[in-house]
């Protein structure tokens, strides 16, 4: 009876995607015991023997691992609930299927499990002919089987049932009038608890009135399966914010509350820590403010404790780092999670990913350290944070400067400690599904305002009032500073001591870093480069109707599910850019080997010309295998590859740099027709004057390149330029370990071209230029530009929609 009355509060591992490892679950149980949580429900959607192959019993090896997990949970004072999801293909009227269901649950019961759940969520509500003849309704079929299994197991004190209509939005026609829920309430045995998610699959808030209505229909208080922090429906979102929107007073209307959190285990420290604070606040009878639950106070307490976890020197699976004789910290390869094949919703998708049949296997990461070992690691933390380490990634073959090698170029330090301000920033940027944190809100507000008021700093508009211009520059400065903080956060996460956290959080921090680089470059470009109303080509008023005017949160409103608009903060920033609809520019897998190199993308300045010329000359010589002395004039290569754009179209040139300077660039031409005329009128004559023939002594290589400069300005057919008026030149891009930075650089240029009216771009690549073709293939350029055809040999086309 005591178990039947106890409020169940804890964690449900019920997401779609790669299940947690055995070692991660053991750490989870330590956390839960420490924070006063009492229940763990095992139900990962992609454990095949939980859902797709539910009829199959576990092998002896799997039995041993499951028994170990059950014993571990019970030793921590936790209720281990085993869940089974037979609803996809069970024949309710089949005595054989019922026998197999009983056999499977009896096997788990014999391993020591004393609590169970039968889940019928995310399935087709239609019945086969045999079931239609045997049962009055779909609900009758489910309830009959559930009651039978419940009796077979001896009526355990904790037995859960998840209905197919598990939230208000799925009820037909409503909660109070749903025949399905009415049948469940009337016919399900009274000691079986019913799972509920709230008004939505992901509920912003849980209300007493809403729960009272559900309790009335079900004739029992529901148990909340809380998807507040679940992120398996969006590969670009992570939720690090506090448990929120559920007042502790709700406990009197509930059987329990289980949080279904992020797929990435290490991302769940704050959600579960604050859930523990919520549970303790609900137990306090006093109304003292100190014991009332406050999400902000709970977040501060969780952040304080998480700082110690974040800065522990742990590898994947939380194995402690060891130093070899050279003093380097031993690390393993980064295996970042890829959720590109996951279902679009975590409780509404029938697909099952290709994963091991049972996730409790020996391939899980090494055993996690005990509490005593972790305390010992804390004593070693300072020494490890100062130990030297080789970089995780570096740009191969960096260009020499002044005869010196730059092998250590651009690295953001070694293993170190994340600061509390950085962790707060990270949480604010990855907050909750219906709400951005303070830092994210500020980022979006400033970007929206800067874009809407960019006419104040347009290139050919009327002069604005000085105080208005000053205001624009002030807000731009704050925006750029926040973008720089995001880049530094990425650097610190990659360079931090805790590799376990890196593997789980890296794809999200990396994605936001790239989006921030584009947004920062765009805001810098707006200052003095965007065209005003007086321009015939385009204007800030004409072009920005292509940009989103609201964020995803605004579009969703309070009643929409979070997956209506994907991408989180990255998606919101993307939507505010002129090319926000081109998802191919922003969605690509992270690099296999994370690098802590700190990058910046910005508009070109005249002072960059010398460095760019040097870089492109060295790239040319390295490609051709030539020597510096083989070219009579050092500027010939630069003048051919970069000169026309830098001289006649500098406003569409962008620079990529790291801590030591320029390391790449991308060039663009807004209108090729007018550009070609300007080249013929001024650039070509200037080149002939710069490189005059001197009798027969002129070096043949120099003359060949001068001839190529003239050929580069050849004519393009009207049929091409009508649809693709702009040109992109990628001659100067070097090889980079993180190819996404090159894509980010290109995205910045395309954003600028679109902002000033371009609707299509092309890039000329000769088939004989194998290096550039290989680079463009690696960059995914055809995919980025939605390549349509080749109007003539060597021209790659793309339209900016």
């Amino acid at each position: 009876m005591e178990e039947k009355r106890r409020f169940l509060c804890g964690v449900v591992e019920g997401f779609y995607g790669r299940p947690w490892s055995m070692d991660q679950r053991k750490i989870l149980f330590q956390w839960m015991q420490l924070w006063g949580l009492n229940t763990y429900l095992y139900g990962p959607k992609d454990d095949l023997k939980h859902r797709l192959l539910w009829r199959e019993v576990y092998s002896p090896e799997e039995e041993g691992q499951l028994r170990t997990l059950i014993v571990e949970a019970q030793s921590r004072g936790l209720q281990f609930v085993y869940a089974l999801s037979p609803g996809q293909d069970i024949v309710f009227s089949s005595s054989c299927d019922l026998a197999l269901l009983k056999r499977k649950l009896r096997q788990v019961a014999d391993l020591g499990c004393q609590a169970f759940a039968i889940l019928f969520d995310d399935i087709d509500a239609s019945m086969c002919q045999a079931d239609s003849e045997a049962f009055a309704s779909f609900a009758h079929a489910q309830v009959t089987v559930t009651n039978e299994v419940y009796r077979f197991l001896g009526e355990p004190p904790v037995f859960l049932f998840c209905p197919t209509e598990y939230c208000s939005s799925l009820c037909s026609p409503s909660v109070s009038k749903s025949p399905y829920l009415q049948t469940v309430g009337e016919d399900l045995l009274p000691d079986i608890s019913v799972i509920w998610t709230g008004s939505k699959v992901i509920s912003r808030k849980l209300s007493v009135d809403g729960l009272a209505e559900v309790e009335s229909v079900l004739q029992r208080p529901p148990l909340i399966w809380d998807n507040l922090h679940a992120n398996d429906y969006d590969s670009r979102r992570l939720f690090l914010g506090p448990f929120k929107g559920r007042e502790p007073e709700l406990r009197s209307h509930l059987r329990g509350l289980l949080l279904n959190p992020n797929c990435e285990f290490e991302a769940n420290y704050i959600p579960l820590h604050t859930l523990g604070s919520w549970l303790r606040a609900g137990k306090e009878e006093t109304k003292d403010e100190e014991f009332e639950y406050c999400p902000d106070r709970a977040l501060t307490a969780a952040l304080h404790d998480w700082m110690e976890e974040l800065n522990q020197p742990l590898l994947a699976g939380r194995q402690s780092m060891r130093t070899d004789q050279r003093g380097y910290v031993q690390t393993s390869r980064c295996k970042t999670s890829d959720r590109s094949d996951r279902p679009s919703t975590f409780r509404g998708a029938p697909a099952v990913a290709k994963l091991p049949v049972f996730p409790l296997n020996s391939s899980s990461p090494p055993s996690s350290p005990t509490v005593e070992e972790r305390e010992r690691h804390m004593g070693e933390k300072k020494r490890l944070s100062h130990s030297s380490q080789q970089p995780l990634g570096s740009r191969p073959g960096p260009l020499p400067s002044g005869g010196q090698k730059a092998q250590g170029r651009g690295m953001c330090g070694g293993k170190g400690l994340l600061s509390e301000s950085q962790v707060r920033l990270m949480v604010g940027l990855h907050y909750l599904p219906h709400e951005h944190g303070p830092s994210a809100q500020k980022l979006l507000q400033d970007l929206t305002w800067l874009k809407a008021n960019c006419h104040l700093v347009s290139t050919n508009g009327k002069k604005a009032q000085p105080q208005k211009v000053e205001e624009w520059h002030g807000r731009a400065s704050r925006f750029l500073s926040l973008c720089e903080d995001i880049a530094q956060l990425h650097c610190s996460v990659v360079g931090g001591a805790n590799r376990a956290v890196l593997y789980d959080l890296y794809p999200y921090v990396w994605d936001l870093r790239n989006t921030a680089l584009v947004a920062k470059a765009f805001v810098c470009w707006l200052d003095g480069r965007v065209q005003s109303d007086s321009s015939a080509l385009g204007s800030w008023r004409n072009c920005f109707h292509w940009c989103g005017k609201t964020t995803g949160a605004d579009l969703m409103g309070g009643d929409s599910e979070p997956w209506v608009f994907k991408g989180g903060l990255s998606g919101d920033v993307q939507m505010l850019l002129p090319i926000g609809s081109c998802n191919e520019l922003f969605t690509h897998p992270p690099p296999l080997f994370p690098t802590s190199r700190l990058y910046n993308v910005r508009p070109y300045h005249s002072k960059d010309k010398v460095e760019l010329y040097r870089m492109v000359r060295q790239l040319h010589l390295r490609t051709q295998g030539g020597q510096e002395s083989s070219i009579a004039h050092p500027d010939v290569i630069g003048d051919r590859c970069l000169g026309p754009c830098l001289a006649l179209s500098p406003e569409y040139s962008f620079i990529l740099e790291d801590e030591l300077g320029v390391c790449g660039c991308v060039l663009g031409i807004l209108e090729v027709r007018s550009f070609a005329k300007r080249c013929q009128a001024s650039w070509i004559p200037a080149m002939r004057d710069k490189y005059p023939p001197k009798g027969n002594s002129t070096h043949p290589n120099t003359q060949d390149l001068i001839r190529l400069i003239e050929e580069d300005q050849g004519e393009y057919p009207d049929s091409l330029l009508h649809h693709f008026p702009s040109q992109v030149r990628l001659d100067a891009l070097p090889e980079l370990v993180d190819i996404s930075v090159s894509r980010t650089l290109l995205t910045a240029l395309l954003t600028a071209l679109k902002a000033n009216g371009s609707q299509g771009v092309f890039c000329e690549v000769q088939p004989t230029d194998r290096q550039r073709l290989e680079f463009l293939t690696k960059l995914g350029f055809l995919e980025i530009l939605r390549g349509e055809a080749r109007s003539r040999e060597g021209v790659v086309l793309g339209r900016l929609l």
Side-chain angles (χ1 to χ4, degrees):
M1 291 300 297
E2 182 179 349
E3 280 296 318
K4 291 182 179 180
R5 290 194 301 265
R6 184 169 70 153
F7 184 82
L8 304 179
C9 189
V11 179
V12 48
E13 184 181 345
F15 48 78
Y16 289 96
R18 185 181 300 279
W20 293 332
S21 70
M22 284 283 286
D23 296 299
Q24 288 173 329
R25 292 176 181 128
K26 291 178 181 179
I27 293 295
L28 171 68
F29 296 163
Q30 292 179 22
W31 286 352
M32 293 176 67
Q33 181 186 34
L34 180 64
W35 300 330
L37 304 176
N38 57 44
T39 304
Y40 165 79
L41 188 149
Y42 176 85
K45 292 294 189 292
D46 290 334
D47 169 7
L48 299 187
K49 289 188 178 180
H50 159 77
R51 190 172 176 87
L52 183 63
L53 305 178
W54 62 268
R55 296 177 178 86
E56 296 187 12
V57 296
Y58 292 118
S59 68
E61 180 184 0
E62 293 166 346
E63 279 188 335
Q65 295 177 46
L66 188 54
R67 181 186 294 108
T68 299
L69 198 62
I70 294 171
V71 171
E72 178 72 17
Q74 294 173 348
S75 69
R76 300 279 180 182
L78 307 178
Q79 180 75 264
F80 185 97
V81 182
Y82 176 81
L84 202 63
S85 296
Q88 283 187 311
D89 60 356
I90 188 174
V91 179
F92 294 96
S93 58
S94 168
S95 58
C96 179
D97 269 4
L98 183 59
L100 291 175
L101 183 60
K102 292 178 179 179
R103 180 186 68 165
K104 180 67 167 288
L105 294 176
R106 171 54 64 189
Q107 180 190 28
V108 178
D110 291 341
L111 299 177
C113 183
Q114 302 171 359
F116 300 89
I118 300 294
L119 312 180
F120 292 109
D121 56 315
D122 302 343
I123 61 174
D124 186 357
S126 62
M127 291 191 292
C128 64
Q129 182 175 353
D131 288 343
S132 298
E133 295 174 355
F135 301 104
S137 67
F138 194 51
H140 280 102
Q142 293 180 353
V143 168
T144 301
V145 168
T146 301
N147 288 342
E148 175 68 19
V149 171
Y150 174 65
R151 294 190 184 100
F152 170 76
L153 293 173
E155 299 187 0
V158 176
F159 194 90
L160 311 179
F161 167 82
C162 183
T164 304
E165 294 183 4
Y166 55 79
C167 66
S168 301
S169 62
L170 294 179
C171 293
S172 178
S174 65
V175 172
S176 60
K177 297 180 180 180
S178 166
Y180 176 94
L181 289 186
Q182 290 173 358
T183 299
V184 171
E186 294 171 359
D187 295 350
L188 193 68
L189 292 174
D191 288 333
I192 298 177
S193 300
V194 179
I195 290 173
W196 189 253
T197 66
S199 60
K200 300 290 182 180
V201 178
I202 307 172
S203 299
R204 180 193 293 262
K205 292 183 179 180
L206 297 177
S207 68
V208 172
D209 292 342
L211 293 177
E213 181 185 27
V214 174
E215 183 178 1
S216 175
V217 176
L218 296 178
Q219 302 181 27
R220 72 204 75 199
L223 180 140
I224 296 297
W225 172 309
D226 201 334
N227 292 311
L228 181 64
H229 290 86
N231 70 329
D232 53 359
Y233 56 88
D234 191 342
S235 62
R236 299 179 71 187
R237 301 197 73 178
L238 192 72
F239 304 115
L240 304 177
F243 189 70
K244 192 175 182 180
R246 292 97 172 98
E247 297 300 327
E249 291 76 12
L250 295 174
R251 285 188 54 194
S252 59
H253 299 272
L254 297 174
R255 173 68 173 92
L257 186 147
L258 303 178
L259 187 63
N260 181 32
N262 296 279
C263 299
E264 293 75 15
F265 175 77
E266 297 292 341
N268 294 315
Y269 191 94
I270 289 177
L272 298 182
H273 191 291
T274 54
L275 175 63
S277 299
W278 176 87
L279 178 62
R280 292 191 298 274
K283 292 179 179 179
E284 297 291 342
E285 296 181 358
T286 177
K287 294 299 182 180
D288 193 321
E289 182 180 349
E290 181 181 353
F291 296 105
E292 292 181 358
Y293 180 73
C294 172
D296 290 337
R297 284 204 305 266
L299 173 59
T300 298
L303 276 172
H304 180 270
D305 292 345
W306 198 29
M307 291 301 300
E308 295 185 3
E309 292 279 335
L310 287 174
N311 290 318
Q312 287 189 41
L314 302 176
L315 295 180
R318 293 176 157 257
Q319 182 187 24
S320 62
M321 289 186 178
R322 299 182 300 273
T323 55
D324 60 19
Q325 295 179 353
R326 294 171 298 175
Y328 293 146
V329 179
Q330 297 177 354
T331 61
S332 60
R333 288 189 175 187
C334 173
K335 298 179 180 179
T336 55
S337 61
D338 182 4
R339 298 212 307 272
S340 58
D341 296 330
R342 293 181 186 174
S344 59
T345 61
F346 54 89
R347 290 179 63 82
V352 177
K354 297 180 180 179
L355 293 169
V357 171
F358 194 67
L360 309 173
N361 51 38
S362 57
S363 65
S364 58
S367 299
S368 59
T370 63
V371 175
E372 292 77 12
E373 288 175 329
R374 283 200 274 169
E375 290 176 352
R376 186 170 65 252
H377 295 326
M378 292 301 294
E380 301 174 357
K381 186 165 55 178
K382 291 185 179 180
R383 177 176 60 82
L384 286 170
S385 66
H386 295 293
S387 63
S388 59
Q389 184 192 0
Q390 293 174 332
L392 290 173
S394 58
R395 187 164 70 252
L399 302 175
S401 175
Q404 298 179 356
K405 295 183 178 180
Q407 295 177 349
R409 178 179 186 131
M411 294 307 299
C412 185
K415 290 291 180 288
L417 304 182
L418 283 163
S419 68
E420 183 172 346
S421 62
Q422 287 182 316
V423 178
R424 281 191 174 274
L425 173 62
M426 182 166 61
V427 172
L429 298 173
H430 306 87
Y431 202 63
L432 290 172
H434 302 93
E435 178 184 359
H436 289 307
S439 51
Q441 293 177 24
K442 184 62 176 174
L443 188 77
L444 293 173
Q445 290 169 0
D446 283 344
L447 179 57
T448 301
W449 188 91
L450 290 168
K451 186 187 70 173
N453 293 278
C454 66
H455 59 282
L456 298 173
V457 291
S458 61
T459 181
N460 55 351
K462 298 179 180 179
K463 290 187 177 181
Q465 298 178 3
Q467 60 269 29
K468 291 291 186 180
V469 175
E470 184 178 355
E471 181 184 4
W472 195 96
H473 286 141
R475 295 190 69 156
S477 178
R478 291 192 296 271
F479 178 84
L480 300 181
S481 178
L482 183 52
C483 289
E484 290 171 0
D485 290 341
I486 293 173
Q488 185 62 53
L489 172 64
H490 168 269
C491 173
S492 297
V493 169
V494 176
N498 193 319
R499 303 285 88 184
V501 171
L502 164 65
Y503 298 158
D504 278 356
L505 303 190
Y506 174 72
Y508 303 95
V509 178
W510 166 86
D511 178 48
L512 189 54
R513 185 279 307 260
N514 286 353
T515 304
L517 284 178
V518 176
K520 179 184 176 183
F522 176 60
V523 169
C524 289
W525 177 85
L526 285 176
D527 190 5
R529 297 175 182 85
V530 67
Q531 295 170 2
S532 70
D533 289 341
S534 60
S535 171
L537 299 177
S539 73
W540 67 273
R541 293 190 187 276
N542 293 331
C543 77
F544 284 143
H545 74 272
W546 292 318
C547 309
K549 297 181 180 179
T550 57
T551 63
D554 296 327
L555 290 177
M556 290 190 303
D559 296 331
S560 299
E561 297 284 7
W563 60 73
V564 172
F565 178 82
K566 293 191 175 184
L569 177 59
S570 293
D572 282 344
V573 173
Q574 171 186 333
M575 192 166 66
L576 291 172
L577 298 175
I579 53 172
S581 62
C582 300
N583 291 324
E584 294 88 344
L585 292 169
F586 296 90
T587 55
H588 43 280
L592 181 61
F593 300 99
T595 172
S596 59
R597 194 180 304 276
L598 195 60
Y599 290 104
N600 181 40
V601 177
R602 60 171 175 80
Y604 163 80
H605 299 298
S606 58
K607 62 183 180 181
D608 300 316
K609 180 178 178 180
V610 174
E611 180 69 10
L612 290 178
Y613 269 42
R614 180 200 61 80
M615 180 179 62
V616 74
R617 182 176 68 251
Q618 294 294 330
L619 286 173
H620 175 81
L621 292 173
R622 187 172 62 185
T623 302
Q624 301 299 323
Q627 302 295 324
E628 185 79 28
S629 59
S630 64
I631 296 180
H633 200 294
D635 287 348
V636 169
I637 304 298
D639 281 338
R640 183 208 169 183
C641 297
L642 310 178
C645 288
L646 296 184
L648 304 178
S649 185
E651 64 273 24
Y652 299 107
S653 300
F654 284 84
I655 299 297
L656 175 66
E657 59 185 355
D658 58 19
E659 293 99 324
L660 296 185
V662 175
C663 55
C665 75
V666 63
L667 314 176
I669 301 170
L670 181 62
E671 280 204 319
V672 173
R673 283 195 183 97
S674 61
F675 182 86
K677 293 178 180 178
R678 293 166 63 196
C679 278
Q680 293 295 332
S682 60
W683 179 254
I684 297 301
M687 290 299 97
R688 293 190 182 119
D689 292 341
K690 186 173 182 178
Y691 304 107
K694 299 180 180 179
N696 296 326
S697 62
T698 303
H699 198 284
N701 286 355
T702 301
Q703 286 302 299
D704 288 342
L705 287 172
I706 295 174
R707 176 178 52 81
L708 290 174
I709 290 175
E710 297 179 356
E711 293 178 358
D712 286 341
Q713 311 307 320
E715 295 184 359
Y716 296 99
D718 291 339
S719 59
L720 168 68
L721 298 182
H722 176 73
H723 297 289
F724 307 95
S726 304
Q727 186 174 9
V728 176
R729 300 191 176 191
L730 298 167
D731 303 80
L733 280 171
E735 298 175 0
L736 296 170
V737 172
D738 186 352
I739 198 67
S740 70
V741 180
S742 300
R743 291 172 65 109
T744 300
L745 180 63
L746 178 59
T747 302
L749 170 59
L750 297 179
T751 300
L753 291 172
K754 180 67 176 289
N756 272 343
S758 175
Q759 297 188 51
V761 300
F762 72 92
C763 176
E764 186 169 13
V765 185
Q766 298 302 326
T768 56
D769 193 344
R770 293 183 178 180
Q771 183 184 28
R772 290 187 64 203
L773 285 173
E774 181 180 351
F775 176 76
L776 291 177
T777 301
K778 186 178 180 182
L779 184 64
F781 189 69
L782 286 173
E783 176 188 357
I784 289 175
L785 295 182
R786 304 183 182 186
E788 299 177 3
R790 290 173 180 261
S791 63
R792 66 191 185 98
E793 187 177 21
V795 178
V796 179
L797 307 178
R799 179 174 297 279
L800 295 177
L801 301 177

